[in-house]
Amino acid sequence: DAGITQSPRHKVTETGTPVTLRCHQTENHRYMYWYRQDPGHGLRLIHYSYGVKDTDKGEVSDGYSVSRSKTEDFLLTLESATSSQTSVYFCAISDRTQPANYGYTFGSGTRLTVV
Amino acid sequence: QQQVKQSPQSLIVQKGGIPIINCAYENTAFDYFPWYQQFPGKGPALLIAIRPDVSEKKEGRFTISFNKSAKQFSLHIMDSQPGDSATYFCAAGSARQLTFGSGTQLTVLP
């Protein structure tokens, strides 16, 4: 999607290893979000950020950490990957300065498999 | 927990039919209600959104109906086409955060 890229697109990792997913935006949006998507659960919020070094937990934050040292980058780290973290991870950005801009723009996702 | 309940989980209609997807929310502070469309292998994309001060919004073949007193809103797709086959998510929230429904997989048969 224009303005937001996720890397890697696919990753297979072993149980117990740390994994970092990257979200990069060129829109200069203040708000960034990490979601995971699983069948039957829709999109569940992991962590979000309202600005540089300003982050907060979502509903499924256990086992995940985030960092945002620059406006354009939002990193999601699985501290010690488990099979339950096998999922598709989406990053989203939002302007949210006005109600008309509340909508999110999503990246193309990262498919993570923990074996 | 601020939930958004979406139904049905899956829906199959014939071309030209009008699929309807329903969502219910709990938090009366929510002031933004978008719908997202997702094709396989892609991220969700904003389709249409409504604010609670109106009861209906239409964009092309897509219409949102909003019932503030019942805390429910729905998506109607007029003259549905096979190209509309996708997963649809409702969401509800405010300036800081959106909560998503669990998704509806729509199949439009030719």
Side-chain angles (χ1 to χ4, degrees):
Chain A
D1 293 82
I4 178 171
T5 55
Q6 292 184 233
S7 59
R9 290 297 312 276
H10 302 272
K11 186 171 182 66
V12 179
T13 192
E14 294 185 350
T15 298
T17 60
V19 177
T20 295
L21 309 182
R22 181 179 184 242
C23 179
H24 178 77
Q25 62 145 328
T26 59
E27 304 295 326
N28 200 35
H29 284 347
R30 176 179 175 184
Y31 301 93
M32 299 186 75
Y33 306 83
W34 276 108
Y35 284 86
R36 61 178 289 174
Q37 183 174 23
D38 304 287
H41 292 278
L43 294 156
R44 292 182 292 174
L45 182 65
I46 305 171
H47 282 280
Y48 53 102
S49 171
Y50 301 145
V52 173
K53 298 184 179 179
D54 186 1
T55 64
D56 206 347
K57 296 179 179 180
E59 63 175 307
V60 291
S61 61
D62 288 348
Y64 302 94
S65 62
V66 291
S67 66
R68 191 168 178 200
S69 59
K70 299 184 293 184
T71 298
E72 58 265 35
D73 290 323
F74 192 31
L75 304 180
L76 175 70
T77 298
L78 287 66
E79 295 147 4
S80 178
T82 67
S83 58
S84 65
Q85 293 176 312
T86 293
S87 186
V88 180
Y89 292 86
F90 286 100
C91 176
I93 62 174
S94 176
D95 186 357
R96 297 179 92 70
T97 55
Q98 298 178 21
N101 296 333
Y102 281 6
Y104 292 1
T105 299
F106 283 87
S108 297
T110 294
R111 182 173 295 277
L112 176 68
T113 303
V114 182
V115 297
Chain B
Q1 188 170 346
Q2 300 173 350
Q3 291 185 335
V4 177
K5 296 181 180 180
Q6 183 172 345
S7 63
Q9 185 175 358
S10 63
L11 187 57
I12 301 174
V13 299
Q14 294 286 340
K15 177 182 176 181
I18 305 176
I20 301 173
I21 305 170
N22 301 297
C23 282
Y25 64 99
E26 299 176 350
N27 190 332
T28 55
F30 288 161
D31 63 354
Y32 179 68
F33 303 89
W35 285 89
Y36 286 81
Q37 179 188 55
Q38 184 182 31
F39 294 105
K42 303 292 186 182
L46 180 63
L47 188 62
I48 184 173
I50 197 168
R51 306 265 299 159
D53 52 344
V54 297
S55 60
E56 185 175 280
K57 182 175 182 180
K58 182 177 181 179
E59 289 185 0
R61 295 184 294 107
F62 300 93
T63 299
I64 298 179
S65 297
F66 185 82
N67 186 329
K68 187 174 181 178
S69 60
K71 292 187 287 185
Q72 296 176 347
F73 58 111
S74 60
L75 176 70
H76 302 233
I77 305 175
M78 306 301 177
D79 187 27
S80 59
Q81 302 296 313
D84 296 329
S85 297
T87 300
Y88 292 81
F89 293 96
C90 65
S94 58
R96 294 177 73 83
Q97 188 176 329
L98 288 177
T99 300
F100 287 81
S102 56
T104 296
Q105 186 169 352
L106 172 66
T107 302
V108 181
L109 301 175

